[in-house]
Every structure is written in C-alpha cells, then in structure tokens.
Amino acid sequence: MTFFHDAIGLEEVTREGGTVYLRAADEFEHHSLTLTETDSAGVDHIGWQTRKPEQVAEYADLLTDHGVDITWVDDGEELGQGDAIRFQTENGHQFEIYYEMEKPDPPEERRSRLKNRVYTPTKTNPIAPQHIDHVQIWEPDIVELSEWLQDVLGLEVIEYYNLEDGSRWGTWLSASGFKIDVAVIHDDAETATFNHTAYTVDNSNDLFDAYDAMKEREIPVDGLGQHSISRGKFCYARDPLTGHRIEFSDSGYFVLDPDWEPIAWNETDLEDRQWMGGFDGLETVDY
Ligand SMILES: [Fe+2]
C-alpha cells in the first residue's frame, strides 16, 4: 500500500479478507487493481470486461470449444464483481472475463462535485492517475498468443515489431480502439510472466511529477520518455518490496478505422525502440 496508494496515488475502495481493492481517481468501477497478502509477489489474473452481459457465458462456451478449461467465479466472490470465468492461456497467462462491476460512490468528503468525475483532487498526491490504460505480458510464443487473442478473444493488432532476423519481438493489441490494451512481448523463458500495469495520467507534465515523486520516496524509476511504438509517453516506477511495476502513461492515439492495417516495425527502422528517453525494465513477476 505504501507503493500503490501512497506513491502511485490509487484510491482504496475497501478491504476484506486480506485483499485491498483499489481504483484510480477517475474510475467509477469498484476496482481496477487488487492486492492480496501472500508469501511471494505474483499476479493472480488479468480481468477483461465484455461489452454485453450475455457474453461472459458465450465466452465460456467458446473457450470450452477451443479446449480451454474454464472456472466460474460466482457473483461477489471477487468483491464488487458479478459472475465471471477464469482460465489460463497455453503458456500460463491467467485471464478472467466478467461483465458486471459495481460502481460505488467514494466517501462523501472525497466525492467530486463534478458528476462525471469520481474523486475530488487531493493535494496530498501530485499524480493521481485517471484510469487503467494497458498491461504488458511476456511470453515465449508471442505469434501464437497474438493470433489466439485475435481469433478467440476478438482483439485487434494495432502494431507489431520484428527483429532483424524476422522473428517477432512484440505485438500490441487493442479491444477498445485505444492504442493498446495489451502488449505481448517475446521472452525466452518457458512460461508466461507479467511486466507492468499502466495507468493513464492527465498530461505529459504529470510524468515529470511522477518521476519527481518517486525520486523523493527513493522508489526505483525504470525510465521516462516516449515510445516509438504506440507513441505513448511514459514514466515507469517499480515497487521495491514486490517488484511490481507501474507505468504512468500519456498520449498515443485512437484507432477508429474498421479497416486498420497493423503498423509493422522492423528493428532497423529506427536506431532505438524509444523515440525519446529510455526504458530499462527487464524484470518481470510470475503468475
Ligand atoms: Fe506499457
């Protein structure tokens, strides 16, 4: 909580049974991140919300048809969330699909008077990211996983990056039309791992404020700059206790074209994957 609440600026919604439920300042949904006390750090699952209530059961049938074992999670088992299914991908990414999520009001003294904003801004935290932006996952078979995410879950490839030898280094996919919902990056390890969760900030100056706030707290920062891929501007911070990494993310672009052609990058196109600055965050956490 020192990292996720005090430093990053996520709001605590509630806590129950050793789990703390957190959300960002502009999120109406019950939570976008939960922390559960365990002996070692890891990721339990990544949740995806469907567009319609009936699609949770439809995905359950579809995944079963594709030979994926699914487990139903009953309404309320994860606080604030309706019936959901959990399953794992071929190499071990743990996914959940849900539709219903409560939208609780913050405590009255923190409720914004603007009805389209959730929390009133606080001066105690200079950053207060707005909402979850994307996740980055690592994986040995990224071509297969990317195709699976397209064919089965219905995501769209926005950009991809090939190394000079023609092998795929990364694929950036979206379900929402925003630049990325998930980045899938190649890793030689045999099992899937998790690199970071990104939260959107209001403007690029917030990235400098985030960097400044992390330095004041002696929290490791993995870089500040702008990616070439996605054009997202970034600042990465890592929890010294658990190794979990949070990206503060700004900019990028929307893909509204139904006939979008994925942007193909080759390692030789630019001298560096980062357009400005650098990112040095090679540690991941296991599921
Ligand atoms: Fe990212």
Side-chain angles (χ1 to χ4, degrees), residues 140-204:
D141 301 321
I142 64 166
V143 173
E144 285 92 320
L145 178 65
S146 303
E147 283 171 3
W148 190 87
L149 289 170
Q150 289 177 87
D151 297 344
V152 182
L153 296 195
L155 274 71
E156 202 179 331
V157 174
I158 305 299
E159 303 191 21
Y160 62 88
Y161 187 102
N162 285 342
L163 297 177
E164 215 174 336
D165 65 8
S167 66
R168 183 70 59 87
W169 179 79
T171 308
W172 285 258
L173 300 106
S174 178
S176 64
F178 193 49
K179 59 180 192 278
I180 313 173
D181 288 315
V182 58
V184 185
I185 305 296
H186 173 76
D187 185 38
D188 286 329
E190 278 176 24
T191 54
T193 58
F194 187 91
N195 187 274
H196 65 263
T197 309
Y199 277 88
T200 309
V201 293
D202 191 35
N203 59 60
S204 299

Side-chain angles (χ1 to χ4, degrees), residues 25-28 105-106 111-119:
D26 223 2
E27 290 179 324
F28 286 93
D105 252 346
R111 181 74 177 91
S112 173
R113 292 184 61 219
L114 275 173
K115 296 182 87 170
N116 52 10
R117 180 161 71 184
V118 185
Y119 288 87

Side-chain angles (χ1 to χ4, degrees), residues 22-59:
L22 300 162
R23 63 179 172 181
D26 223 2
E27 290 179 324
F28 286 93
E29 291 215 322
H30 185 272
H31 58 272
S32 60
L33 193 142
T34 65
L35 296 174
T36 302
E37 202 164 348
T38 57
D39 295 335
S40 59
V43 172
D44 189 69
H45 65 269
I46 299 164
W48 298 94
Q49 188 177 33
T50 60
R51 291 184 198 281
K52 294 177 183 172
E54 62 271 22
Q55 287 173 330
V56 177
E58 288 170 11
Y59 272 116

